[in-house]
Amino acid sequence: MSIRSNLEEIRKSLPAGVTLVAVSKTKPISDLNEAYQAGQRVFGENKIQEMSQKWEELPRDIKWHMIGHVQRNKVKYMAPYVSLVHGVDSFRLLREINKQAKKNDRVIPCLLQMHIAEEETKFGLDTTELNEILDSEEFPKMENIAVTGLMGMATFTSNEEQLRREFKQLKTIFDTLRQKVPTAEILSMGMSGDYKIAIEEGSTMVRIGSSIFGARNYH
Ligand SMILES: *Cc1c(COP(=O)(O)O)cnc(C)c1O
């Protein structure tokens, strides 16, 4: 299977209104170019340095999404161009994004990452921490970030009931968030193994890597 035919297969299965983020982490420029030639314009990376290198080499109409855990001291490198940060999991990080966005005279859209999996290893906020951010005096004054939704990663399991339960939980938090934050319209959930279930449970943005580009080799 080619990258083009994988993309076509996946696009066919996505309902209108669901955005496909092609997760290209660890993949060479040539693979991203192939996806670009097949019409893909939204790419997801999980390392700022790697994303910046690819950003420099590839066409400027690509939207770059940071989907991984973000270190605060590296925000400055992506602030000039990143179009969505999925993994905002602390107030301190949100503040740093706001600060660097201001330096670049832009507003950076952010998704707050919620911890929905049973695994401790996955990052994210709980609802108490989420509300601490939203209800703070500072939050409405942060003019250079826009919270445009939520992101979550389900447990790595083939148990469909569990996946559904975790996605439902995130959807419920999302519905509550939307009452407080009018700019929130994105619910980023679903990867290669679970995106069909995520869409059934209300996802509006899926992050798909291996089903497009093949398995990754980590080195
Ligand atoms: C790697 C990654 C994905 C894509 O995973 P696949 O299983 O290859 O589709 C999605 N979201 C995040 C946060 C990732 O790190």
Side-chain angles (χ1 to χ4, degrees), residues 1-202:
M1 292 291 271
S2 67
I3 290 171
R4 176 183 290 272
S5 60
N6 291 340
L7 271 170
E8 281 166 2
E9 274 309 302
I10 292 165
R11 285 198 195 114
K12 261 191 267 169
S13 72
L14 299 183
V18 175
T19 303
L20 171 61
V21 180
V23 176
S24 48
K25 61 190 185 195
T26 80
K27 295 295 175 180
I29 293 281
S30 55
D31 282 7
L32 281 79
N33 248 323
E34 216 174 309
Y36 184 87
Q37 296 306 327
Q40 186 64 27
R41 291 294 179 273
V42 184
F43 291 87
E45 291 282 334
N46 73 340
K47 296 220 161 59
I48 291 173
Q49 203 175 355
E50 182 178 340
M51 181 169 76
S52 295
Q53 274 167 7
K54 289 172 172 172
W55 167 69
E56 279 176 20
E57 288 190 43
L58 286 159
R60 284 295 138 107
D61 61 342
I62 291 177
K63 291 193 165 88
W64 293 98
H65 288 198
M66 173 41 59
I67 63 165
H69 184 66
V70 177
Q71 289 168 277
R72 284 195 307 283
N73 61 352
K74 293 191 178 150
V75 171
K76 54 179 178 284
Y77 301 116
M78 66 174 173
Y81 70 88
V82 70
S83 59
L84 184 62
V85 183
H86 289 234
V88 179
D89 61 357
S90 74
F91 211 160
R92 292 171 76 193
L93 176 57
L94 195 63
R95 272 189 206 111
E96 178 64 15
I97 297 171
N98 189 58
K99 182 176 146 191
Q100 297 299 336
K102 192 177 168 79
K103 282 190 188 165
N104 287 275
D105 195 24
R106 55 186 301 244
V107 175
I108 298 183
C110 294
L111 304 181
L112 298 173
Q113 181 175 358
M114 302 301 298
H115 188 273
I116 52 168
E118 69 182 15
E119 297 137 310
E120 285 294 330
T121 50
K122 289 189 174 149
F123 294 102
L125 304 161
D126 60 32
T127 48
T128 307
E129 293 165 326
L130 173 68
N131 288 325
E132 273 166 18
I133 295 175
L134 300 179
D135 299 337
S136 68
E137 279 182 39
E138 191 182 349
F139 178 67
K141 297 181 193 150
M142 298 171 92
E143 291 183 336
N144 295 85
I145 52 98
V147 169
T148 55
L150 296 180
M151 182 270 225
M153 285 173 90
T155 302
F156 186 71
T157 176
S158 54
N159 182 333
E160 193 179 316
E161 284 311 302
Q162 182 173 1
L163 291 170
R164 239 176 241 292
R165 193 171 352 105
E166 293 176 1
F167 289 140
K168 272 193 169 70
Q169 187 195 340
L170 187 57
K171 174 67 159 70
T172 304
I173 304 168
F174 178 62
D175 289 339
T176 312
L177 173 79
R178 291 175 87 179
Q179 322 235 314
K180 284 190 189 176
V181 182
T183 50
E185 52 188 16
I186 299 168
L187 182 54
S188 167
M189 59 184 195
M191 321 193 345
S192 292
D194 58 18
Y195 76 91
K196 287 184 179 152
I197 299 172
I199 288 170
E200 285 168 10
E201 299 304 335

